[in-house]
Amino acid sequence: MTATKQLNELGQSLWLDNITRDLLENGTLQRYIDDLSVTGLTSNPTIFHQAIKNSQSYDSVIQEKFKNGQAGEQLFFEVALEDITQAADKFRPVWDRTDGVDGWVSLEVSPLLAYDTESTLAAAKDLHARAGRPNVLIKIPGTKEGLPAIEEATFAGIPVNVTLLFSSEHYVDAAEAFLRGVERRIEAGLNPAVGSVASLFISRWDRAVVDNVPETLHNQLGVAIGQRAYKAYLDLLNSPRWQRALNFGARPQRLLWASTGVKDPNASDTLYITSLASPFTVNTMPENTLNAFADHGEVGNALPACGGDSESKLGEFETAGVDVQALAAKLQKDGADSFVQSWNELMDVITTKSESLANVD
C-alpha cells in the first residue's frame, strides 16, 4: 500500500495545492486521483499567477476573451472558472461517493477584498453561482473583516474554505463564524449541511523564526501550532453547541493543513505530512510534496487528540523570545499582503498577454 493510500486509510484527505490547465488536460490530475488517493484541490492567486505566467496553454483563451471585450479581473475569473469547474467535475465522483464530505475544489475571492466584508460576501456569492458546481468551495480569508462574510456566506448556503488562519485562536474564530451561519440556517428551517474547511497555515511559522531561535527548535513551531489547533478542533466538535447542530443535520467544518511544503532544505521534505497525520482532517500539498510523500513518505503515529506536547514546545519558543500571538497576527497580515502582491502580478500578466496576443492571428 502506498504511503498516500495509508494516509487516506487513516482518515485524512489528501488534496493537491495546485492547478494548471496542463495538469487538468494531460492526465496528471487524473493519475493523482487514481494512483495517489488525491480527493480534492486548492488554488490561490499565487498558484494561478505561476500557472498563467509559465504556460502557453492559456494564450488562446485569453486572446479570445480579450477580443470579446473582457480584461483584467473579469477575464481572469472567466479563465479560472474554466479550470476550477473542470477540476470539480473530475472530483465529482469523490463528492458523490462521500456524500459531500470530500471531493472539493477551492477558488479564492480577490485578495484585494480581505478587509472588506460586504464586497467579499458579494464576490463569494457571484463566484459560487458562476461555478455552478456543488463541490466548489469559495475561499474567504479569516481576517477580522472576513469573519462576518464567512457567517453570511454559510447562512446563504455557500460552501467556504476559510483561508489565512495561523493559530488556534484564528481557527476558533473562523469555526464559530461558520457555526453561527449554520445555527441561523437551523433556526430558519434551512438545510444546515453546508460544506466548509478551515485552512491553518503551517510552514510559514518555521520560516518566520528560523533566524531567531536555537537550531534545536528549527522546524518545530509549525507542527506545535498545528497540534494546539487540532485539540481546539476536536474540543469544539465535541462541545454541546456543535452536538446540537450535528443533531439537526449539520456537517462539521474540517480542519485543513495548508502551507505544508517544507522550506528548509535540511529538513525532511515530508515533515509536515508525517507530523500532521490525523483523522477527519485535510492536508493540501504542493505537487512536489505529494510526489515526495508517495515516493518515500511514512505515515507514523496520528496526532494525539490532547494536543501532545504542543504547550510545552510552545513554551520553549516563548522562552526563546517568540510571541506566538503577535507573530500569528503578523503572519496573517503578511499572508494577505503576499496574496495581494501575487494578485497584482497576475493582473499584470493577464494585461501583458492580452495586449501581446490581441493582433496575433
Side-chain angles (χ1 to χ4, degrees):
M1 186 184 296
T2 62
T4 53
K5 180 65 173 175
Q6 291 178 47
L7 203 58
N8 187 256
E9 289 292 318
L10 177 72
Q12 186 174 68
S13 296
L14 285 68
W15 290 5
L16 178 67
D17 191 30
N18 193 29
I19 190 168
T20 70
R21 191 146 296 191
D22 292 338
L23 190 75
L24 292 165
E25 295 180 348
N26 66 13
T28 300
L29 180 59
Q30 191 61 52
R31 180 175 64 81
Y32 290 157
I33 295 170
D34 296 339
D35 298 344
L36 301 185
S37 304
V38 170
T39 54
L41 178 148
T42 50
S43 67
N44 60 44
T46 304
I47 286 171
F48 272 113
H49 170 237
Q50 294 298 320
I52 294 173
K53 176 184 177 181
N54 297 324
S55 173
Q56 295 181 336
S57 299
Y58 294 92
D59 289 4
S60 61
V61 67
I62 289 174
Q63 181 186 47
E64 177 187 355
K65 293 182 185 302
F66 186 67
K67 287 182 176 180
N68 289 334
Q70 296 178 345
E73 182 174 307
Q74 180 191 26
L75 190 157
F76 162 69
F77 276 119
E78 288 287 329
V79 173
L81 282 164
E82 290 179 2
D83 282 2
I84 290 294
T85 54
Q86 187 176 344
D89 290 344
K90 289 184 182 297
F91 286 108
R92 183 61 186 269
V94 177
W95 194 85
D96 289 337
R97 185 175 69 247
T98 62
D99 195 25
V101 172
D102 212 343
W104 294 94
V105 173
S106 297
L107 175 65
E108 189 156 351
V109 298
S110 166
L112 302 180
L113 308 178
Y115 304 105
D116 184 335
T117 300
E118 291 185 5
S119 296
T120 293
L121 177 61
K125 289 181 175 179
D126 176 63
L127 289 175
H128 185 255
R130 288 163 64 187
R133 303 293 193 279
N135 57 327
V136 171
L137 292 163
I138 303 301
K139 294 179 82 170
I140 298 177
T143 56
K144 178 182 176 182
E145 294 79 6
L147 296 176
I150 292 161
E151 177 182 340
E152 293 298 331
T154 303
F155 179 60
I158 298 170
V160 173
N161 177 340
V162 184
T163 187
L164 288 177
L165 304 177
F166 284 90
S167 68
S168 55
E169 291 82 6
H170 287 172
Y171 159 69
V172 170
D173 287 346
E176 290 184 345
F178 169 71
L179 183 51
R180 287 193 297 272
V182 167
E183 289 171 333
R184 287 172 57 192
R185 288 184 67 84
I186 291 171
E187 297 308 313
L190 300 171
N191 182 358
V194 181
S196 184
V197 295
S199 298
L200 188 80
F201 285 51
I202 300 297
S203 67
R204 296 186 188 190
W205 282 97
D206 291 319
R207 183 169 55 181
V209 302
V210 66
D211 296 326
N212 302 313
V213 299
E215 189 173 346
T216 54
L217 290 178
H218 285 186
N219 302 308
Q220 297 180 51
L221 181 53
V223 171
I225 292 292
Q227 288 177 316
R228 176 188 271 181
Y230 185 60
K231 180 181 185 303
Y233 169 59
L234 296 181
D235 287 347
L236 188 60
L237 291 184
N238 287 323
S239 68
R241 187 178 171 195
W242 246 115
Q243 296 299 320
R244 174 182 178 273
L246 293 171
N247 199 51
F248 278 95
R251 283 285 177 82
Q253 177 193 56
R254 287 194 294 169
L255 182 60
L256 179 149
W257 311 119
S259 184
T260 56
V262 175
K263 307 298 191 292
D264 183 351
N266 296 316
S268 165
D269 56 1
T270 61
L271 170 67
Y272 300 122
I273 313 304
T274 300
S275 299
L276 297 170
S278 42
F280 205 59
T281 64
V282 181
N283 196 319
T284 187
M285 309 176 192
E287 196 168 359
N288 58 346
T289 303
L290 171 68
N291 284 312
F293 190 73
D295 177 65
H296 53 263
E298 296 181 0
V299 173
N301 296 323
L303 278 183
C306 65
D309 65 349
S310 59
E311 295 308 315
S312 63
K313 183 61 65 177
L314 291 170
E316 293 182 44
F317 280 95
E318 295 279 357
T319 301
V322 177
D323 184 334
V324 171
Q325 286 198 332
L327 183 53
K330 181 180 186 301
L331 287 171
Q332 187 176 70
K333 181 182 183 303
D334 290 349
D337 291 345
S338 173
F339 280 162
V340 166
Q341 180 179 344
S342 291
W343 181 261
N344 290 334
E345 292 171 350
L346 171 60
M347 291 301 106
D348 288 343
V349 167
I350 292 287
T351 299
T352 300
K353 282 207 171 192
S354 297
E355 294 173 349
S356 67
L357 294 167
N359 299 315
V360 176
D361 294 328

